[in-house]
Amino acid sequence: MKVKKKTVGLFIYLMLLLLPIYWMLNMSLRSNADILASFALYPKGITFMNYMKIFTDSSWYMGYVNSMIFVTINTIISLFVALPAAYAFSRYRFLGDKHMFFWLLTNRMAPTAVFALPFFQLYSTIGLLDTHIAVALAHCLFNVPLAVWILEGFMSGVPREIDETAFIDGYSFPRFFITIFIPLIRAGVGVTAFFCFMFSWVELLLARTLTVTNAKPIGAIMTRTISASGLDYGLLAAAGILTIIPGMMVIWFVRNYLAKGFAMGRV
Amino acid sequence: MEKWENNKAWFLVLPVFVIVAFSAIIPLMTVVNYSLQDIWGPGQSVFVGIEWFEEMLANKRLHDALWRQFLFSGLVLLIEMPLGILIALAMPKRGWGAAACLVTIAIPLLVPWNTIGTIWIIFTRPDIGLFGAAVNKFIAFDHTARPLDAWITLMLMEVWHWTPLVALLAYAGLRAIPEAYYQAAKIDGASDWATFWYIQLPKMRGVLTIAFLLRFMDSFLIYAEPFVLTGGGPGNSTTFLSIYLVKIALLQFDLGPGGAFSLIYFVIVISFSFIFYQALQRVGKGEQV
């Protein structure tokens, strides 16, 4: 009986969670005039006009492409540098390790609002303004510390005997790390990639500040729907729905790593 | 676990250090630079020492925004942590149900922050919004007119947006507990509550620490969502620190006070995160015995 109650509660929560999303979907399938004219629980005459506009206008769909590019670069850089560092933090004691770890975390705590301006100056000085790599690098500020933090947790769950055995068997460090260790924590790598993707995908302030046209993210482009006649709710809703889809694809891809049990403790 | 002592491990940390230092130290020094000067044009500035800091620390509106911020973050943690754990406990352990739950729960996390504000404007507008229209059938509710309504809407949005993060992390922690622990608990005839308190909660300590700190930091630094939804209003009732900061630094372009403000802000976030971090570490140590 108890299990039943739990499931019902969960079901209600999921429904409530989807409600605002459903409402946005509803709006995206109606024209703006229709939205403002009448209140409707579901779209009466479905129109794909809003979506058509986004898919046929390059200034719209390039926003998605730009976002995808810098998010991917950021995720790769973050994982690449964070994996060895997380290993160092989980296995070794070294001079200033605790301070270093906390300093890394403090970078997540900086109010981006004011750091936006120095970032702009910095990247225009080195000539990277309005490139995907600039945004990817800027997002490393908060994603690399997070990646180190999460990965360190996973790595600490792997008994050190595994490392010792491998070294006794004559594995070199890089070979051990790539062929034995990383596969052991692949769930952790999947989860970390998801978080890097997520935080880079949703961040707007830095991405908007560092781009002009070539690398403009979709979030910044969406602000254009505020025209002279007010908000175009239909178009905004359609753009919003489309921003959710890449993320859903990523979570679908890593769902097994998340769900199958983080077998770390059982190795 | 006893760690190996080896200073060569620094080589493994070096890439992280370089990449983060590049994005952190140079901009931070620029902000420090702003905070010590009175700037009124390109190349035109005068050194003023700690004047801006004194001015900002005595600023009444900053104090108000700070208390508002503490109230907001406090409420966020109080609601989201227990709710997230409850959701994680209720989720199926395996099969397509687990996958479907994970994908659904993660949706709000993947919406760009300004879109979150937009979704909730559409959702809560009294004329076209489902929530706004439904509530207005019973009582007048308008988040653009009344501070309490604005706060309720903001909290709903925040809980909707971020509880999934706590739930996902807690779920990940739960999945890491070996089946043998549960079998042992069953043999001992432990109640559900005892299983939760003595097995699940201690085992989730690591991920819950991450969740707690992330939620504290991000709620304390919140900007885009309330900016889009309420713009800090009605009046100043939802003007949080970031919103006030952007007003000073980017809209009025007072770089000096803005720089001083953001450094004070930064120090507050770091101090609290440090205290929480230490406290949570200690709590865990007590339970491990």
Side-chain angles (χ1 to χ4, degrees):
Chain A
M1 225 49 241
K2 201 150 183 304
V3 177
K4 262 270 164 60
K5 215 159 55 180
K6 247 194 210 172
T7 317
V8 170
L10 184 69
F11 188 73
I12 292 172
Y13 171 74
L14 290 178
M15 285 299 112
L16 289 176
L17 186 118
L18 287 175
L19 216 52
I21 304 277
Y22 164 73
W23 201 246
M24 190 160 74
L25 184 67
N26 174 5
M27 292 288 169
S28 74
L29 295 172
R30 301 165 65 190
S31 73
N32 200 41
D34 182 29
I35 290 169
L36 293 175
S38 64
F39 180 86
L41 284 176
Y42 57 92
K44 296 214 166 64
I46 287 180
T47 166
F48 290 100
M49 193 185 69
N50 298 316
Y51 290 97
M52 287 306 286
K53 182 157 183 200
I54 290 169
F55 281 122
T56 51
D57 184 348
S58 73
S59 65
W60 267 106
Y61 66 74
M62 279 314 286
Y64 292 97
V65 177
N66 290 332
S67 290
M68 296 287 256
I69 293 173
F70 69 68
V71 168
T72 311
I73 299 175
N74 172 269
T75 308
I76 292 169
I77 297 177
S78 299
L79 281 177
F80 196 72
V81 299
L83 275 167
Y87 182 80
F89 283 120
S90 81
R91 289 296 191 264
Y92 297 109
R93 254 184 309 136
F94 50 94
L95 196 65
D97 53 353
K98 292 212 176 76
H99 302 107
M100 178 76 189
F101 197 63
F102 193 74
W103 172 74
L104 277 179
L105 293 184
T106 61
N107 289 302
R108 264 200 70 86
M109 307 169 196
T112 38
V114 152
F115 278 63
L117 207 60
F119 262 122
F120 183 83
Q121 288 189 333
L122 175 64
Y123 283 99
S124 52
T125 310
I126 54 175
L128 280 178
L129 209 61
D130 203 20
T131 58
H132 300 108
I133 191 85
V135 184
L137 275 177
H139 284 178
C140 282
L141 178 67
F142 45 82
N143 269 350
V144 167
L146 186 73
V148 173
W149 200 9
I150 298 178
L151 285 173
E152 198 267 343
F154 279 97
M155 289 178 180
S156 296
V158 179
R160 219 174 39 172
E161 285 72 25
I162 293 195
D163 309 33
E164 281 163 350
T165 317
F167 292 141
I168 289 167
D169 287 351
Y171 276 85
S172 68
F173 175 72
R175 187 157 158 244
F176 155 74
F177 195 65
I178 294 164
T179 61
I180 297 180
F181 199 71
I182 291 182
L184 274 178
I185 55 148
R186 61 181 183 276
V189 176
V191 174
T192 312
F194 167 71
F195 276 106
C196 288
F197 176 94
M198 182 191 109
F199 279 110
S200 181
W201 179 255
V202 298
E203 203 279 339
L204 177 75
L205 205 61
L206 286 180
R208 192 176 61 187
T209 311
L210 294 176
T211 54
V212 187
T213 47
N214 291 329
K216 204 130 197 84
I218 180 61
I221 290 170
M222 281 174 71
T223 51
R224 283 191 330 176
T225 55
I226 304 166
S227 62
S229 57
L231 281 170
D232 186 341
Y233 287 107
L235 194 58
L236 199 59
I241 288 289
L242 290 176
T243 58
I244 305 176
I245 291 172
M248 285 184 74
M249 274 152 52
V250 169
I251 183 100
W252 188 253
F253 182 66
V254 299
R255 73 185 189 284
N256 284 330
Y257 291 128
L258 275 169
K260 222 184 237 166
F262 293 177
M264 303 302 104
R266 275 176 275 174
V267 178
Chain B
M1 182 162 63
E2 197 50 41
K3 290 178 185 175
W4 295 310
E5 180 108 38
N6 191 343
N7 280 329
K8 282 202 192 110
W10 256 104
F11 287 110
L12 296 173
V13 184
L14 204 60
V16 160
F17 181 74
V18 170
I19 209 158
V20 176
F22 175 74
S23 298
I25 292 174
I26 302 171
L28 184 65
M29 289 336 281
T30 318
V31 174
V32 171
N33 201 15
Y34 292 155
S35 71
L36 300 174
Q37 298 182 52
D38 193 356
I39 301 165
W40 64 90
Q44 290 172 297
S45 59
V46 65
F47 183 80
V48 295
I50 58 163
E51 216 169 277
W52 294 130
F53 287 91
E54 287 169 345
E55 192 184 309
M56 278 292 129
L57 283 173
N59 186 329
K60 175 83 174 46
R61 294 184 61 194
L62 192 148
H63 294 173
D64 292 346
L66 182 63
W67 293 126
R68 230 171 266 139
Q69 191 72 65
F70 275 122
L71 179 64
F72 182 73
S73 287
L75 284 173
V76 161
L77 289 170
L78 220 57
I79 299 173
E80 290 180 11
M81 293 299 293
L83 189 60
I85 295 172
L86 266 180
I87 293 163
L89 287 172
M91 274 165 68
K93 288 200 173 82
R94 54 185 68 82
W96 67 270
C101 275
L102 284 173
V103 176
T104 315
I105 282 178
I107 291 175
L109 296 174
L110 295 158
V111 185
W113 292 344
N114 58 333
T115 315
I116 299 268
T118 314
I119 291 178
W120 280 80
I121 287 181
I122 295 176
F123 192 57
T124 54
R125 261 184 67 146
D127 52 346
I128 61 167
L130 180 61
F131 178 80
V135 173
N136 268 296
K137 279 233 180 337
F138 305 103
I139 47 163
F141 186 92
D142 188 357
H143 65 74
T144 57
R146 285 190 305 186
L148 183 65
D149 295 359
W151 269 80
I152 292 172
T153 314
L154 265 182
M155 286 313 297
L156 276 176
M157 175 177 76
E158 177 65 25
V159 169
W160 176 81
H161 185 188
W162 285 113
T163 307
L165 181 78
V166 182
L168 282 185
L169 285 169
Y171 185 73
L174 280 177
R175 292 285 71 73
I177 302 173
E179 202 56 40
Y181 282 61
Y182 293 115
Q183 284 158 5
K186 213 171 189 178
I187 292 166
D188 289 346
S191 65
D192 281 358
W193 173 250
T195 312
F196 172 72
W197 191 250
Y198 293 107
I199 296 176
Q200 292 174 320
L201 201 57
K203 278 282 170 188
M204 284 196 285
R205 191 190 96 229
V207 282
L208 287 183
T209 305
I210 295 184
F212 188 92
L213 285 175
L214 277 182
R215 283 318 304 132
F216 168 72
M217 290 174 200
D218 290 343
S219 67
F220 212 80
L221 297 170
I222 190 167
Y223 173 72
E225 302 96 314
F227 180 74
V228 174
L229 185 67
T230 64
N236 274 325
S237 58
T238 55
T239 301
F240 297 116
L241 283 175
S242 275
I243 294 180
Y244 188 42
L245 175 59
V246 169
K247 216 176 257 175
I248 292 179
L250 299 181
L251 299 181
Q252 299 170 3
F253 225 67
D254 288 333
L255 290 181
F261 187 165
S262 49
L263 289 176
I264 296 168
Y265 195 172
F266 196 17
V267 168
I268 294 174
V269 183
I270 291 179
S271 324
F272 273 88
S273 302
F274 186 72
I275 294 167
F276 287 143
Y277 185 68
Q278 294 293 336
L280 289 167
Q281 295 292 80
R282 203 144 303 159
V283 165
K285 293 247 165 64
E287 275 167 4
Q288 265 176 350
V289 180

